[in-house]
Amino acid sequence: MTLSPGDTAPDFELNDQTRTPVRLSDFRGRKHVLLVFYPLAFSGVCTGELCQLRDSIDHFRSDEVETIGVSVDSAAALKAWSEKEGFDFPLLSDFWPHGAVASAYGVFDEASGLAQRGTFLVDKAGVVRFSERNPIPEARDQQRWRAALAELGVDA
């Protein structure tokens, strides 16, 4: 079941595209976190979504908020994709145990072995304030993310 607003966000530690560990709890008390789960690096819809995020990152990353992508890809694949597309935000590898974090957030698709398009805004206290889950082929509307940030008083 997908996490809903009001739920406590499960903590995790995953390596980013540079193999640097990133722990959700490290942001507690400091920043809101926008978690963007996506199925696969180098795929069409994922590239479109994350390039749009890259091009509007100033709306989603500041002193008040951090944006983090999460997929089941390996850190090596994420590094290659990040370098190719110029992503300068963390892309976390939920590769092993395969999809464990996506499962904890309720957005792991067992049939395909991929994360669905789940988005979660976690506030500074570690509470989910916005959540959505789209089917794998369906791109998300990032205006909804901006509205969720605005509800937390973040100018997006």
Side-chain angles (χ1 to χ4, degrees):
M1 187 162 154
T2 303
L3 294 177
S4 299
D7 291 340
T8 298
D11 194 21
F12 60 81
E13 181 178 311
L14 295 172
N15 288 333
D16 72 7
Q17 67 265 39
T18 65
R19 299 184 194 268
T20 301
V22 175
R23 184 178 298 118
L24 180 63
S25 57
D26 287 345
F27 296 96
R28 291 244 169 100
R30 295 185 319 110
K31 286 189 172 191
H32 307 297
V33 178
L34 184 68
L35 292 173
V36 180
F37 289 85
Y38 58 93
L40 286 173
F42 295 102
S43 63
V45 176
C46 294
T47 298
E49 279 191 319
L50 269 73
C51 284
Q52 181 183 6
L53 183 58
R54 174 201 65 207
D55 295 345
S56 59
I57 195 65
D58 290 343
H59 298 293
F60 302 108
R61 184 178 59 198
S62 68
D63 291 341
E64 292 292 311
V65 64
E66 182 63 56
T67 295
I68 299 172
V70 184
S71 77
V72 298
D73 294 294
S74 69
L78 294 175
K79 181 177 182 182
W81 192 43
S82 177
E83 289 173 354
K84 179 182 184 299
E85 299 298 342
F87 300 140
D88 66 349
F89 48 89
L91 300 178
L92 305 185
S93 174
D94 193 13
F95 186 74
W96 196 257
H98 190 73
V101 174
S103 292
Y105 281 74
V107 294
F108 186 72
D109 185 298
E110 293 282 341
S112 66
L114 303 172
Q116 294 174 327
R117 294 183 195 286
T119 313
F120 301 88
L121 178 57
V122 180
D123 70 13
K124 293 177 184 179
V127 176
V128 174
R129 295 297 174 196
F130 169 84
S131 70
E132 69 178 342
R133 182 182 64 171
N134 286 16
I136 288 173
E138 186 180 312
R140 292 164 279 200
D141 178 0
Q142 294 180 8
Q143 292 301 320
R144 296 185 69 206
W145 308 350
R146 291 177 72 174
L149 285 166
E151 286 184 24
L152 287 178
V154 176
D155 183 27

